[in-house]
Structures are given as C-alpha cells and as structure tokens.
Amino acid sequence: MNEKILAYVKQNHAATIELLKKLAAIPAPSGKEDKRAAFIYEWYREQGIPAHMLRVDTAKNVIYEWNPAGMDKFIVFAAHMDVIFPDEEPFAVTEKDGRLYAPGVGDDTANLVNLLLSAKYVTEHADEWQTNQLPYGILFVANSCEEGLGNLYGTKLLFKQYEGKIKEFISFDVYLDTLVEKAVGSCRYQVKVQTVGGHSYIDFDETIRNKSAISVLCDLITEIGAIPIPTQAKTTYNIGKIEGGVSVNTIAEEASMLVEFRSEDGECLEYMNREFDCILHRHRSESAPKIGIGKKILGIRPCNKGVEKAALYEMTMRHKRILESYTGQAVEPAPSSTDANIPLSLGITANTIGTVSGAGLHTRGEWIEIASMIPGQCVAIESVTYYLSAFLV
C-alpha cells in the first residue's frame, strides 16, 4: 500500500464523488457517447491539460496522450464511457446509506472517474519522475462502444490508430474483485426466416411447417440446442431474442432470432460457428424454394491469441498484489469479455481490473459503495505509476 497515494486520494475524495455524480447523470448509449466525451474533454482542460495533448477521435474516444519524452510506444489505460441502457435523457443519481445509485454507475462510470483521477495525479506529480528518460508514453483513453453491440469499436479503432505502438493495455472495468487475463470471445448473429405465410385455416395443409417462418425458426433453435458442446474450455450458446408473426390466425411469413456463441478458446468458438453454419446450410438446401434463411453478423469479439505467457503472468500477478493490498481480499484471475479482448487477440499483454465495489450490474438499480472509491482509486493510480518507476532506463 502506497501511503502517499492513499493520502492524495483521501484529500480528493469529496471532489471525486462530485465528479462521479455529474458523469453518472450523463446518458451514454453505445455509439452515442458524445455528451460524456464532451464533458470529459472539458474536464481535462479545466485541470490545465493543454489542448494539443487531447483529442476526441471519430469513435468518440477521448484520448489524453501523456508523452513528455516524445516516445512512439505507449502503455494504454482505458475505461469505457458507454452504459448498457439506451436512454438519451439524463439519469437520476441518488445517494443513500453510503451508496450511489444510477444506471451504469459501476459499469463503468466509477472506473472511468478513477481513470480520470489517475491522469490528474500523473499530471500533477510529473516532476517526481525522470520523464525525459521514460521509454513509453501513456495514453489515458475514455473509450466508446464496449457494451453490447458496440462490439468494442472504440478499442478496435484505437489499435488501428496506434498500430504497432501499443506495448501494454490495462482497462478499468466493474468491481474490485475483477482481474481478467483471458478473453471470452463471442460471435453474435441475427437469423431471419422468410416464407410464403398465409391464412391459418385456408392455407393450412401438410406443408404448414414449410410455410410458417416461426416453425422453421423453431426447428433451427432445436438443432442449435443439440450441438455437442466442447469440453476443453467453457463454451456456451444462447438464443437471446425471437420475433415474428402478425396475428393468431396468420401463418407467419417472417421470424427472426438473435444467436450468441461464447468461449474462452478460439478453436471452440470456431467449432460452434461451423456447426451453426452446417445447420443453416442444411435447412436452406432442404427447404421449399420460397423459404429464405439469412444470417447477419452483429458482432465478433476475439479470444487470446499469441500473447507472451511470461509477460502476461507478470502483469496479472502485479495487479493481483495491488488489488489485494488495498482490499485485503484474495483476488483470482477469471476470464471475461472486456475491452482487453482486442489487445489479447493481437498478442499484446493486457489485463482488465476493477476499481470499485457495488452490485446490480446491468440493472437500473445498480449501485456502488461510495467508500470503495478510495481503495479503488489507489489501485488505479498505483497501476499507472508503476510504469513511471519500473520502466526507467
């Protein structure tokens, strides 16, 4: 535990919570983070950060490039701006019994605030390090499009913009017991069935199953459920939403479903996709000519690929020590789907760690423990400042 960092965080705690309340009220659906991005940019400017070190890119990522030595390699610290909810009007933020309630307050607004305060700390204490000797600059990134069908677009664009320049990546996301070193990959699709349809009585005959889009969809769902699940890594499937039909007395001419496959292992994910494609191909070839079965890709999240094991282990154990030193609780790595999926799929060392305590994830009753912002912010700052001392040449 770093006593100097702890003292700084406690001194700024009231201002931290005020910032959190303001930011948590700002709506930020995936792809529509404009208001939060503008707020964060102006907040940085109010802290005295020069405009030439700040930018908002086309994905609406807010990037603070802290690079006093002018290096062309970077360590990235990120937290996502978007929340799972589609609201475009301000959220109600409520404080009660030591908790702060708001949709998305823990996922990921509190972590985002801790990212901002980490950037503020580094900026204010820059003279403590030999910044002219640092081998890497630091990118503080308030990124877009982490949730749902945002499909990690903000992080994907970041890695295109800084291709070959990012050495390591750490994202702040969810709770203080979170430590992610392995990406859970996913493939998400919409499947749409179109048939001739008809009147439920007049057009009913022995070929009803071929006329009803809903019946065809049910057959597809049944066969997806019969796919043998791989056992070498946790692998899942889900039918998340179904739609279709017009009325109780209409043979449905259109129906659709949302399908998701997830796995920690890329080969398992590929296997599920192959089996899925075989099912669709078989139904297309066996169905009546007037039946159409279409598949649309909604999002792909990759798994780990080519990451140096020793470097990843060192980073993970370091974050484990930092988390445990401020929480007093054992923290164990667990796979998840986060912004770190992108660097991990590119062979770049990455972790996701949480910096707040709370509950109600992805519900409108989500809350965080206000007091947990103190140890959480210490975790965030110490994670960043490690690179300002350990990597001096």
Side-chain angles (χ1 to χ4, degrees), residues 179-183 304 307 312-313 316-317 333-336 344 350-352:
L179 175 53
V180 178
E181 63 170 351
K182 191 171 187 180
N304 286 35
V307 184
L312 182 59
Y313 179 80
T316 303
M317 290 302 100
S336 189
L344 288 170
N351 274 179
T352 294

Side-chain angles (χ1 to χ4, degrees), residues 308-334:
E308 184 184 340
K309 291 182 180 180
L312 182 59
Y313 179 80
E314 189 280 329
M315 173 188 275
T316 303
M317 290 302 100
R318 174 178 8 111
H319 285 135
K320 175 179 169 67
R321 290 191 297 270
I322 293 173
L323 285 163
E324 292 178 349
S325 72
Y326 286 101
T327 65
Q329 303 294 322
V331 177
E332 296 301 329

Side-chain angles (χ1 to χ4, degrees), residues 21-35:
K21 289 177 179 179
K22 291 177 182 178
L23 200 53
I26 301 173
S30 295
K32 296 181 178 180
E33 300 91 346
D34 310 69
K35 293 178 181 178

Side-chain angles (χ1 to χ4, degrees), residues 8 40 44 70-71 82 93 155 158 186 216 226 297 325 336 341:
Y8 176 88
I40 291 167
Y44 273 135
M71 304 304 294
D82 57 324
V93 181
T155 303
L158 179 75
S186 63
V216 175
I297 298 174
S325 72
S336 189
N341 281 45

Side-chain angles (χ1 to χ4, degrees), residues 232-295:
Q232 60 264 44
K234 183 176 180 179
T235 304
T236 64
Y237 69 88
N238 186 54
I239 312 300
K241 184 178 182 180
I242 57 174
E243 296 178 305
V246 176
S247 69
V248 69
N249 60 338
T250 301
I251 298 171
E253 59 181 312
E254 186 173 293
S256 65
M257 63 178 173
L258 301 184
V259 182
E260 178 193 72
F261 302 110
R262 289 196 186 212
S263 183
E264 306 167 23
D265 184 272
E267 291 184 0
C268 293
L269 203 56
E270 290 175 7
Y271 161 80
M272 294 299 290
N273 279 309
R274 286 196 303 271
E275 292 294 308
F276 179 49
D277 284 340
C278 285
I279 291 170
L280 297 182
H281 177 74
R282 183 169 61 255
H283 275 265
R284 288 182 184 123
S285 61
E286 295 176 356
S287 295
K290 293 185 178 180
I291 292 179
I293 301 174
K295 183 184 81 169

Side-chain angles (χ1 to χ4, degrees), residues 127-179:
D127 59 353
E128 296 181 10
W129 299 285
Q130 300 175 48
T131 54
N132 64 323
Q133 297 185 39
L134 292 175
Y136 309 112
I138 295 178
L139 300 181
F140 295 98
V141 183
N143 66 276
S144 66
C145 294
E146 191 276 343
E147 294 289 4
L149 294 180
N151 293 319
L152 311 182
Y153 174 65
T155 303
K156 288 176 181 176
L157 182 61
L158 179 75
F159 276 84
K160 286 183 180 179
Q161 293 170 335
Y162 287 87
E163 186 174 359
K165 295 183 177 182
I166 296 176
K167 174 69 175 177
E168 296 186 352
F169 178 97
I170 299 94
S171 67
F172 300 150
D173 201 352
V174 198
Y175 304 136
L176 274 163
D177 60 353
T178 300
L179 175 53

Side-chain angles (χ1 to χ4, degrees), residues 39-254:
F39 178 91
I40 291 167
Y41 182 91
E42 290 305 318
W43 182 86
Y44 273 135
R45 294 291 287 123
E46 290 169 5
Q47 310 314 305
I49 295 167
H52 73 272
M53 301 174 74
L54 296 169
R55 66 187 179 90
V56 180
D57 67 15
T58 56
K60 301 165 189 173
N61 296 322
V62 185
I63 302 170
Y64 171 20
E65 189 171 303
W66 189 83
N67 191 20
M71 304 304 294
D72 62 356
K73 295 286 185 180
F74 296 92
I75 308 297
V76 175
F77 288 88
H80 66 87
M81 293 182 289
D82 57 324
V83 298
I84 197 69
F85 300 99
D87 307 48
E88 296 187 40
E89 296 299 319
F91 291 116
V93 181
T94 306
E95 182 176 347
K96 182 180 180 182
D97 299 330
R99 295 176 176 178
L100 203 64
Y101 292 81
V105 68
D107 184 16
D108 196 33
T109 313
N111 291 287
L112 180 58
V113 167
N114 285 337
L115 174 78
L116 299 181
L117 268 294
S118 298
K120 178 180 171 70
Y121 182 90
V122 168
T123 303
E124 292 177 352
H125 294 77
D127 59 353
E128 296 181 10
W129 299 285
Q130 300 175 48
T131 54
N132 64 323
Q133 297 185 39
L134 292 175
Y136 309 112
I138 295 178
L139 300 181
F140 295 98
V141 183
N143 66 276
S144 66
C145 294
E146 191 276 343
E147 294 289 4
L149 294 180
N151 293 319
L152 311 182
Y153 174 65
T155 303
K156 288 176 181 176
L157 182 61
L158 179 75
F159 276 84
K160 286 183 180 179
Q161 293 170 335
Y162 287 87
E163 186 174 359
K165 295 183 177 182
I166 296 176
K167 174 69 175 177
E168 296 186 352
F169 178 97
I170 299 94
S171 67
F172 300 150
D173 201 352
V174 198
Y175 304 136
L176 274 163
D177 60 353
T178 300
L179 175 53
V180 178
E181 63 170 351
K182 191 171 187 180
V184 174
S186 63
C187 298
R188 293 163 174 172
Y189 306 102
Q190 180 192 60
V191 175
K192 182 177 288 187
V193 177
Q194 293 179 307
T195 66
V196 293
H199 188 280
S200 64
Y201 187 80
I202 296 172
D203 296 310
F204 183 91
D205 59 24
E206 68 276 5
T207 63
I208 180 62
R209 292 184 64 80
N210 287 330
K211 288 181 179 179
S212 170
I214 291 176
S215 293
V216 175
L217 198 66
C218 288
D219 290 343
L220 294 174
I221 292 171
T222 299
E223 291 195 32
I224 291 170
I227 296 174
I229 303 299
T231 56
Q232 60 264 44
K234 183 176 180 179
T235 304
T236 64
Y237 69 88
N238 186 54
I239 312 300
K241 184 178 182 180
I242 57 174
E243 296 178 305
V246 176
S247 69
V248 69
N249 60 338
T250 301
I251 298 171
E253 59 181 312
E254 186 173 293

